[in-house]
Structures are given as structure tokens and as C-alpha cells.
Amino acid sequence: MTIIYSRLQAIVNALQYAIKDDKMWMGLDSKVQIPSVSDLHYFDSHHDALNFQEFNQSRQKEVDLFPLIVTLDAIHKSVDGSLQNGVQQPNVQLEANAMQALHEDYMFQTTVSNFTDTMDSFNWNSTFYDPLEANTEAESFEDKIEFNRLESLVEELSAFAISSERGQEAVTELLDRYWKGQPMDSQIADVLRGKYYKPDRPSNHPNVVINERDLHYRIDPDENPLFNKDGNDFTDTLIEHIEQQQLFNNKLNLMNQNNFAYLKDNIKYTGFGEALYPALEKNIIAKKDDFQLHFTTQIGNRPFDAILDFRKSNTSDMYFFNRYTATVERNNGEKLSQSFAITKGKGVTAKEAYNLLQGRAVKREMTNAKGEEYMAWIQLDFDIKDEKGNFKVNKYNENYGYDLRESIASFPVLELDGGEKEKDLLRSLEKGNVQAVTIEIIGNPEKMFIEANPKYKTINIYDNSFKLMKHQDIPLKQGQAQRPALSQENKQATTQKQKQTEKKANTQKNGNGLISKKRTRNQKGVKI
């Protein structure tokens, strides 16, 4: 199009007003070579502009689309250049394709800049993303916000990396700069191949600059000659769309929105993310008495599956997330499953379930028969199953005497510094994770892996090839006694148990054969 000098000021004013009114795109009949203000049509988003273009194409009308901010900037630059060259009354020529190319470059550069600012806001020395731990590790509302922010960043980077070759190059450069050699190093490959991209999630991320805002037209179709060239078809289509949208909204209003929001939080903060929301909504609208949702992901290239059970109340339309059954595949190819109850929205998280099914222990808040809360370590016993096929759950409460920090302190672990690194280490181990640490071996720092072992009141240590090491083969800090090997600890535990049994037997024979009031009892596993 060509903007002649006599109309230039009016068009510039119109574009500035449109931008101030949050318009993003402009449409123009391609046959109009010298437009006036009345020929311009504005849209809130690229999506709306494309709808305008497609509709008119179906009516044999071609429409050129211009991004407003870039177009206005191009007009200013063209006029400035002409005036500097001595042209007193310059005209401005603009090509829609050129403006769109400039717009794409502007969006790209803005997105990269936003990513850089967000990356700068994290401490990558102590930040790590696990899709099953987001929202479950947080101890405060502020921590949950940080987890959500990290999760959004990872998803945005994944989407941007697979959007184009240029996007792949930009994300690669960012990850090499911020994540290389940090805890997030192991996530670089997954992000670059788009593993965390969620195409079904609404585009509400702050970093990725998008073209659409999901707003409606503010244009009266009857005032737009392009719409009405062949009658009022567009008006009828718009009315039909609004009616369909209203029917959908009416369906949503039939369900208990508070209940839906509550269940969404249950799912998310148990570690299953947001991908199940559409299926949850569909089943609630269908008013089924009970239903199941299926979740699947991969951890370390091995599948983790879960079936979530929901049931409708017998006395109301309320639904409850009662339990889920998790299944993992171990290194030997064996599949193990366990059912975990959800009570008042609380229970074992998905990542904790994964760790338990890998044989590791998890420290959790428990509730006794009186409703009193206490902390205990739990661990599955794969040698014993109940009538429902679930493994026995062994429990080690505070009276059992396991001190995780003390167990780690028996070894020269550099992360046990009394500060944030130590706090993060203990928190991760209490969740049942295998945690990378640095241990001094003959004065040299070596990377190893540790996990909690409350049953034997110690920790398991693996070398960098993940081979289980004997404790006596690891040098201890000066002044500390050598810990016995795990097999020796087993013997000591057995001996202690025998002594308690003998003491109990002697007590029962004492006096009139009455049992002493103060009794010891063996720890028993409880089901969760």
C-alpha cells in the first residue's frame, strides 16, 4: 500500500489511537492501493486478524494484514529517511509481507530478551526441575510460586526450542550459558527436544510473546463493507458462535465450580500436573458415579504410570479423589504396583510413590488413630503383600531413633555445610530421592550418590557408576569411629532384638506372673 502525504498524519494518528486501545493488527483490502482511515480495520490479536482474512477469502476478497507496532515504526523511519534526503512531502510505501517479517523478528528478539531476564532471576547453583516434584516440594506459598515459575519457564523453553531452527539455536545458547555444569545440566537435552512442551495448555506464559490474546472483536460487522459484500453471513456466523459458547458455559455452570477447583488442586499438588484437567472436567460434566484418569510419564527413560480413582458422593454432587495406583518398571524389567490413599487432598505424592516403588524410604507426615500428626519414615516391604496385592508398608517414627543428618555426618560430605546446600540435601533425601554429593576421598573430592536407609539407621552410598559401596571402604572424618559394615549392623539389630525378647520373657515370670506395665513392642508396618 502507499500512504500519500496528504493522508499521512491522519493515518498515523489512527494507528497510534488503535495501539493505545490495545489493538495489535490491522487489515486492509488488498485492492485498495491508497488507503484512507476508513479503509483500515483493527484487531485485538493475530488470531482475530486471520479469521477476518480467511472469512473474506471465502468471499473472494483478499486482505493484507499488518502488525500495528512494527508498521507504525516503519512509517516513522520511512518519513525520517525521506526528510533527511530532502523530500518535503514524502509518501510511504509498505508491503504486508515485509512488515510481517519485521514483526516476527521483533517477537523473536523480545522473547529471547524475556527468557534472559527470567533466567537471571533464578539461582541455578541450587535449582533443579523434576516434573513430578513441582508443587510438591514447596513448604510455603512463596515456594509454590517459585516452582510454578520454574515449571512455566521449562515448558516455554521446550516450546520455543522446537518452534524453529532459529529458536533451537537461541535456546541452546541460553541453556549452555545458564545450565551447563549446574544441576539443570541433565535437563538440557530434554528441553531442546521439546519434551516438556504442552500444546494443549493455554498460552499464558509471560516469556513467550504471542500474537493472540483470546479477545473478541469490537467491530460492528454491518459497518464493515468487507463482511457485507455478499450479505450478512458473517453476522449470522458470529451469532451462532456466541450461542454455542453460551451453551458450553451453561454446562460448566451446572457443575460445582468449587469442587472442580478443589480436585484440580488435589491432582496438581499430588504431582500429576495439569494435563488431566480436561478429562477431569469431561467426566464430572457426565455425572458419572465413579471414573478413572490415566497418567503416564517417563523418569530416567523408564515409564511411570498411575491410575487415579474418583468417586461421587452418595449424598451430593461432590466428587472426591480417593486414591491412585502407581506402576513402575525397575531396572530388571519387573513391574511393581502400589495403591496410595488420598485423604482430604493429602497423600503420598507421585514422585514419592516412584521412589517407594524403587525400594527407597520417604519421610512423611502421618496421622494416628486419634487424629494426631507426627513424622515417620515409610518404606515398602517387597516380600510381603496384603489381600489386595499391596506391599506391606514399614514405618519408622521418631522414637525409632534414625537421625539422617547424623548418618551423613559420619562421612566427609562437602554439602553438609550447615547452610542452604545442607537444607536442600536433607529435604531431597527425605523425599526418597537419590542425591548426588561430593565426598573427600584421600583429600580429593569425588562425586557419589547417597540415599536414606532408616531401617538400618544409616545411608547407602553409591560410586559415580552407581555401584553400592561398603562403608568401611570410605575414609571418615578425623576423630570419628569406623562405622560397621551393613551386614554387621544387621547382626547388631538381631542381637538387640533377642535381648529384648529375653528380657520380656523374664519379666513375665516375675512375681505372680503379671506382665510389667512398661512394655516394648516390635515396630509394625501400617498401610497408607
Side-chain angles (χ1 to χ4, degrees):
M1 69 173 177
T2 300
I3 304 175
I4 61 176
Y5 181 75
S6 61
R7 298 178 180 178
L8 184 59
Q9 189 60 57
I11 289 180
V12 167
N13 290 341
L15 297 186
Q16 289 176 336
Y17 181 81
I19 292 172
K20 186 178 180 180
D21 197 33
D22 292 330
K23 303 301 181 184
M24 299 293 293
W25 285 79
M26 174 181 72
L28 173 69
D29 188 338
S30 60
K31 291 182 179 180
V32 178
Q33 296 300 311
I34 303 177
S36 64
V37 171
S38 61
D39 294 315
L40 307 179
H41 310 279
Y42 307 108
F43 307 96
D44 296 323
S45 69
H46 191 212
H47 175 74
D48 291 350
L50 288 175
N51 281 345
F52 175 85
Q53 185 182 55
E54 291 172 3
F55 179 83
N56 283 283
Q57 284 176 345
S58 69
R59 299 298 188 268
Q60 286 74 51
K61 285 287 184 179
E62 293 299 324
V63 174
D64 291 332
L65 300 179
F66 294 82
L68 280 179
I69 294 176
V70 172
T71 300
L72 183 60
D73 184 62
I75 292 173
H76 283 302
K77 289 180 179 179
S78 176
V79 172
D80 288 343
S82 297
L83 293 175
Q84 290 176 7
N85 291 330
V87 180
Q88 297 300 316
Q89 296 184 346
N91 298 329
V92 176
Q93 291 196 1
L94 299 174
E95 294 290 338
N97 290 337
M99 294 299 99
Q100 291 177 24
L102 287 174
H103 174 73
E104 290 177 4
D105 185 68
Y106 168 80
M107 301 287 276
F108 183 89
Q109 297 298 339
T110 303
T111 297
V112 173
S113 176
N114 289 346
F115 274 134
T116 302
D117 290 342
T118 303
M119 296 288 266
D120 283 335
S121 69
F122 284 94
N123 178 9
W124 297 112
N125 291 323
S126 59
T127 300
F128 182 74
Y129 173 70
D130 187 320
L132 287 182
E133 285 187 357
N135 298 305
T136 64
E137 291 289 305
E139 292 184 343
S140 66
F141 179 74
E142 289 75 15
D143 288 339
K144 289 182 179 180
I145 292 177
E146 281 302 291
F147 274 119
N148 286 335
R149 208 163 65 89
L150 176 61
E151 183 179 41
S152 293
L153 174 62
V154 172
E155 292 172 6
E156 294 162 22
L157 288 169
S158 284
F160 199 57
I162 61 175
S163 64
S164 65
E165 183 177 345
R166 191 181 181 194
Q168 179 83 189
E169 293 174 355
V171 174
T172 300
E173 182 179 343
L174 283 169
L175 301 190
D176 285 346
R177 187 194 317 169
Y178 290 95
W179 291 2
K180 204 73 171 179
Q182 302 294 346
M184 288 292 288
D185 196 336
S186 61
Q187 295 284 5
I188 290 178
D190 286 340
V191 169
L192 290 177
R193 64 185 175 87
K195 177 180 179 180
Y196 301 113
Y197 169 52
K198 296 184 178 180
D200 295 330
R201 178 170 292 192
S203 300
N204 57 0
H205 294 148
N207 293 310
V208 180
V209 180
I210 54 178
N211 291 331
E212 54 185 277
R213 298 178 180 175
D214 295 324
L215 300 176
H216 297 291
Y217 298 125
R218 297 180 191 172
I219 298 172
D220 182 354
D222 294 323
E223 294 179 0
N224 190 328
L226 287 173
F227 289 140
N228 288 323
K229 179 64 178 178
D230 296 308
N232 254 350
D233 291 345
F234 179 81
T235 304
D236 297 335
T237 302
L238 183 61
I239 292 173
E240 181 180 355
H241 168 74
I242 293 174
E243 289 175 347
Q244 291 296 325
Q245 188 67 35
Q246 188 62 48
L247 288 174
F248 176 75
N249 290 337
N250 288 341
K251 288 183 179 180
L252 290 180
N253 290 332
L254 292 175
M255 61 179 287
N256 187 321
Q257 291 294 331
N258 290 333
N259 184 217
F260 182 47
Y262 175 73
L263 292 176
K264 288 197 299 182
D265 284 345
N266 284 180
I267 293 174
K268 183 173 184 178
Y269 295 117
T270 308
F272 296 110
E274 302 174 359
L276 298 178
Y277 289 177
L280 173 67
E281 182 179 349
K282 180 180 178 181
N283 280 279
I284 292 178
I285 291 176
K287 295 186 177 181
K288 296 181 178 180
D289 289 336
D290 55 70
F291 59 89
Q292 294 180 330
L293 300 181
H294 295 257
F295 174 86
T296 184
T297 188
Q298 282 197 331
I299 304 176
N301 295 322
R302 292 196 174 277
F304 173 83
D305 301 307
I307 298 176
L308 287 63
D309 292 311
F310 296 82
R311 186 170 183 82
K312 186 179 178 183
S313 169
N314 293 328
T315 58
S316 70
D317 288 335
M318 297 281 286
Y319 284 86
F320 297 94
F321 175 24
N322 294 322
R323 66 181 60 250
Y324 68 92
T325 301
T327 302
V328 302
E329 183 178 318
R330 305 188 76 177
N331 292 333
N332 59 4
E334 178 187 11
K335 288 189 175 182
L336 300 177
S337 297
Q338 182 81 358
S339 181
F340 299 96
I342 302 296
T343 304
K344 296 181 180 179
K346 295 182 179 180
V348 172
T349 67
K351 184 58 184 297
E352 290 172 344
Y354 172 82
N355 287 334
L356 288 168
L357 285 167
Q358 293 296 330
R360 295 188 286 274
V362 170
K363 189 176 183 180
R364 282 196 52 79
E365 185 180 83
M366 309 289 289
T367 304
N368 62 21
K370 296 181 179 180
E372 300 169 337
E373 296 180 344
Y374 63 98
M375 299 302 296
W377 288 87
I378 58 174
Q379 192 168 22
L380 300 182
D381 186 339
F382 297 121
D383 294 325
I384 303 176
K385 280 189 175 183
D386 62 17
E387 64 279 2
K388 295 183 179 180
N390 286 315
F391 297 107
K392 177 186 176 183
V393 179
N394 291 328
K395 180 182 66 173
Y396 310 98
N397 61 24
E398 294 176 348
N399 294 331
Y400 186 75
Y402 178 51
D403 189 322
L404 176 61
R405 190 192 184 284
E406 181 182 345
S407 298
I408 302 172
S410 299
F411 304 92
V413 176
L414 300 185
E415 285 78 7
L416 212 64
D417 59 358
E420 288 300 316
K421 288 185 179 180
E422 177 180 312
K423 182 179 178 181
D424 292 340
L425 172 63
L426 295 176
R427 181 186 299 177
S428 178
L429 292 171
E430 289 174 351
K431 291 294 182 181
N433 297 322
V434 176
Q435 185 66 37
V437 295
T438 306
I439 298 180
E440 284 193 28
I441 304 296
I442 316 178
N444 297 319
E446 292 193 16
K447 181 179 179 180
M448 295 188 179
F449 300 89
I450 64 174
E451 65 185 16
N453 188 340
K455 182 176 182 180
Y456 298 118
K457 301 179 182 179
T458 185
I459 57 172
N460 296 336
I461 302 178
Y462 302 87
D463 63 16
N464 55 13
S465 299
F466 222 78
K467 179 181 178 182
L468 183 64
M469 301 184 67
K470 295 181 179 179
H471 288 182
Q472 62 264 33
D473 294 339
I474 303 173
L476 302 181
K477 294 180 179 178
Q478 284 187 341
Q480 289 185 324
Q482 180 72 34
R483 290 185 62 86
L486 195 59
S487 58
Q488 182 65 26
E489 290 174 342
N490 278 327
K491 292 177 182 178
Q492 288 183 347
T494 302
T495 302
Q496 182 66 23
K497 185 175 181 180
Q498 290 174 346
K499 289 181 179 179
Q500 291 175 349
T501 302
E502 291 173 358
K503 183 177 179 181
K504 181 178 179 180
N506 291 334
T507 302
Q508 289 176 334
K509 294 178 181 179
N510 186 32
N512 296 323
L514 297 177
I515 299 175
S516 172
K517 290 183 179 179
K518 184 177 181 180
R519 294 180 293 176
T520 60
R521 59 180 180 180
N522 297 331
Q523 297 294 324
K524 295 184 179 180
V526 296
K527 290 185 285 187
I528 58 172

